[in-house]
Amino acid sequence: MNLANRDSNVIWHPYTHRSNDELNPTDLPIPIVKGEGVYLFDENGNKYIDAISSWWVNIHGHAHPYIAAKVSEQLKTLEHVIFAGFTHQPAVELAERLLHILPSNQSKVFYSDNGSTAVEVSLKMAIQYWSNKGFKKEKIIAFDNAYHGDTFGAMSVSARSGFTKPFSSLLFEVIHIPVPINGNEDESFTKLRAEILNHQNEIAAFIFEPLVLGAGGMLMYEATALDQLISICKKNEILTIADEVMTGFGRTGKLFASDHLQQQPDIICLSKGLTGGTMPMGITTCTATIFNAFTSEDRSKTMYHGHSYTANPLACTAALASLDLLLKEECQQNIQRISTYMQTLANQLQSFPSFTNIRCTGTIIAVDVVTNEETSYFNSFRDRLYHFFLSKGILLRPLGNTVYIMPPYCISNNDLYYISTALETIPTIG
């Protein structure tokens, strides 16, 4: 029995539909045996361009020898240690280096395990911050179409959808406002002001994906609009949380999407590209003002949150190695090269009647494919798009009828051209 069939007997995959019918061979998972740079290789020798960086994490490509060597070296020294009451060099150095490149108001680093938990920590920080100061401010503002993760707090601040429906009665109430996409800015500003007026002194924080909403459809908006929303929140003593799990580490053309802003968020969530796709890790950073609200002789004001693998030395080492690569001139030039390519491609695709809502931010491009079919994530058209690209040796994972490209920074222009050429032939799939 091959690896794919063995897998289907014992493994439950994420975001993967299984019907009652006998499993279709095309629905079997693809057994990957090797990764190298932008490529993945399956057990049959087929090669795939990983055009979405394996859910946006592999910013330097697969099996990077520099990261592998650093992790291997650390493994021989210290693989893990409890992080309550103990510390270690990789964790301290990573925190120091991140705070050096994050917005200047960030002061403290809280380690966790992944993007969802980074968001959970941010929500608990914000709500307990006000509680510690003697205020009951528990409401959260978030964008329509937002996605912040799959744990309960993260689901609560995400858009209500088919993904969250079974748990709807268990999610806490959230105030949603429109995304300030081009032409819709005033509606977003007006809604925010109205909700603040309706819930005076009850709102703890506004959480947002800066500039690009990822799983919600790769919706994009301008930094000036977000600056205005943050400014409104600050004037009304509402904390702001930037969920940079996807947008961090160069995706938007700058190190962080928050670098495009004039305003600075109070809390920032990081994961995905943090370790270059090598190991799971989440980070939540905050200002000194927030941290100081947890500093007290009163033990009830402690942040009682932690994970067994908090600040795992191997993950910290992988993140340090990824930072080394990210900050090199070569990588920064690649980010700008890819950003320029994506903008040029976006301009070219404007003339294609089969595409609409063509948008681009930094190294990310997204298009909506015109179709008469349902355009939700659950439609069959999405599946046909997915298999169409796989047949051409390209890993893309459409969001309904939205096709996006978010490649590792090591991708060549030749591979980008191959992907864009395949994109232009989408109308032939019917």
Side-chain angles (χ1 to χ4, degrees):
M1 185 181 293
N2 64 25
L3 192 60
N5 288 111
R6 288 167 55 198
D7 173 288
S8 68
N9 286 337
V10 294
I11 293 179
W12 190 344
H13 284 266
Y15 289 95
T16 301
H17 172 253
R18 289 287 293 268
S19 68
N20 293 325
D21 298 329
E22 185 175 348
L23 192 65
N24 188 318
T26 61
D27 291 332
L28 285 170
I30 298 170
I32 298 300
V33 297
K34 179 184 177 182
E36 183 178 344
V38 73
Y39 304 117
L40 295 166
F41 300 86
D42 70 18
E43 65 180 5
N44 296 315
N46 298 311
K47 181 173 75 172
Y48 304 88
I49 301 173
D50 189 351
I52 57 167
S53 306
S54 283
W55 260 340
W56 323 337
V57 300
N58 288 85
I59 58 176
H60 305 298
H62 295 277
H64 197 288
Y66 179 76
I67 300 177
K70 290 293 185 179
V71 172
S72 176
E73 181 181 337
Q74 178 62 42
L75 187 58
K76 299 170 187 175
T77 304
L78 177 66
E79 81 299 341
H80 188 62
V81 63
I82 183 175
F83 208 61
F86 290 80
T87 192
H88 51 80
Q89 170 69 23
V92 174
E93 183 180 350
L94 178 58
E96 290 172 341
R97 291 184 62 185
L98 281 174
L99 291 174
H100 181 70
I101 61 175
L102 281 164
S104 59
N105 67 335
Q106 298 300 291
S107 175
K108 295 290 182 180
V109 169
F110 192 101
Y111 288 104
S112 62
D113 291 356
N114 55 58
S116 288
T117 54
V119 168
E120 295 286 335
V121 170
S122 75
L123 297 173
K124 292 176 75 171
M125 270 186 189
I127 293 170
Q128 191 176 344
Y129 166 81
W130 292 114
S131 177
N132 285 358
K133 291 175 70 67
F135 300 99
K136 188 177 181 180
K137 297 176 70 169
E138 298 176 348
K139 293 188 181 296
I140 305 293
I141 297 175
F143 280 138
D144 294 333
N145 299 104
Y147 173 82
H148 294 286
D150 294 331
T151 49
F152 271 82
M155 280 196 296
S156 293
V157 295
S158 299
R160 301 299 187 263
S161 67
F163 298 151
T164 62
K165 186 177 179 180
F167 320 105
S168 57
S169 65
L170 302 173
L171 304 180
F172 60 75
E173 180 185 353
V174 169
I175 301 166
H176 286 95
I177 65 172
V179 182
I181 57 176
N182 187 31
N184 198 46
E185 294 91 345
D186 287 342
E187 183 182 351
S188 186
F189 304 154
T190 300
K191 177 70 169 174
L192 176 61
R193 290 190 179 99
E195 293 294 354
I196 291 172
L197 189 62
N198 290 338
H199 301 280
Q200 289 186 13
N201 301 317
E202 295 180 315
I203 301 171
F206 166 42
I207 186 171
F208 52 86
E209 297 163 87
L211 307 191
V212 185
L213 275 69
M218 292 295 160
L219 303 178
M220 301 182 186
Y221 62 101
E222 296 298 324
T224 51
L226 183 54
D227 270 325
Q228 180 70 9
L229 292 171
I230 294 174
S231 179
I232 294 169
C233 287
K234 287 186 181 297
K235 289 176 183 176
N236 289 276
E237 296 187 299
I238 296 169
L239 298 177
T240 53
I241 303 170
D243 178 354
E244 293 238 24
V245 167
M246 184 268 281
T247 56
F249 304 102
R251 285 299 181 194
T252 64
K254 295 191 177 185
L255 286 178
F256 301 98
S258 297
D259 292 337
H260 294 271
L261 302 173
Q262 297 299 312
Q263 300 285 344
Q264 294 181 323
D266 300 295
I267 299 172
I268 298 176
C269 307
L270 302 170
S271 188
K272 296 284 187 191
L274 173 60
T275 69
T278 304
M279 303 191 74
M281 171 172 271
I283 279 178
T284 309
T285 68
C286 69
T287 64
T289 299
I290 292 175
F291 177 78
N292 290 340
F294 293 79
T295 304
S296 171
E297 297 301 317
D298 183 353
R299 288 181 175 269
S300 69
K301 294 187 176 182
T302 301
M303 176 76 169
Y304 287 113
H305 186 103
H307 300 265
S308 300
Y309 283 92
T310 293
N312 173 259
L314 301 176
C316 289
T317 298
L320 286 166
S322 180
L323 269 184
D324 288 342
L325 297 172
L326 178 68
L327 297 176
K328 282 188 174 182
E329 183 178 355
E330 179 185 4
C331 185
Q332 291 301 304
Q333 289 175 347
N334 281 338
I335 289 171
Q336 297 311 311
R337 171 181 58 83
I338 296 167
S339 298
T340 299
Y341 188 99
M342 294 305 193
Q343 187 59 63
T344 301
L345 177 60
N347 294 336
Q348 292 173 348
L349 294 178
Q350 297 291 340
S351 63
F352 283 71
S354 49
F355 301 127
T356 185
N357 193 18
I358 300 158
R359 60 260 192 211
C360 176
T361 298
T363 66
I364 310 166
I365 188 171
V367 302
D368 295 343
V369 182
V370 176
T371 175
N372 293 325
E373 299 184 35
E374 180 193 3
T375 58
S376 76
Y377 183 90
F378 304 105
N379 65 23
S380 61
F381 184 64
R382 176 262 169 210
D383 294 337
R384 296 208 306 279
L385 286 170
Y386 174 68
H387 289 292
F388 167 77
F389 286 109
L390 280 181
S391 71
K392 294 182 175 294
I394 303 169
L395 171 56
L396 290 177
R397 195 172 171 88
L399 301 164
N401 68 317
T402 297
V403 177
Y404 69 91
I405 305 169
M406 196 186 305
Y409 304 143
C410 59
I411 194 169
S412 68
N413 278 1
N414 285 340
D415 281 334
L416 285 171
Y417 179 75
Y418 179 75
I419 297 167
S420 59
T421 301
L423 183 65
E424 293 169 2
T425 62
I426 279 179
T428 64
I429 73 172

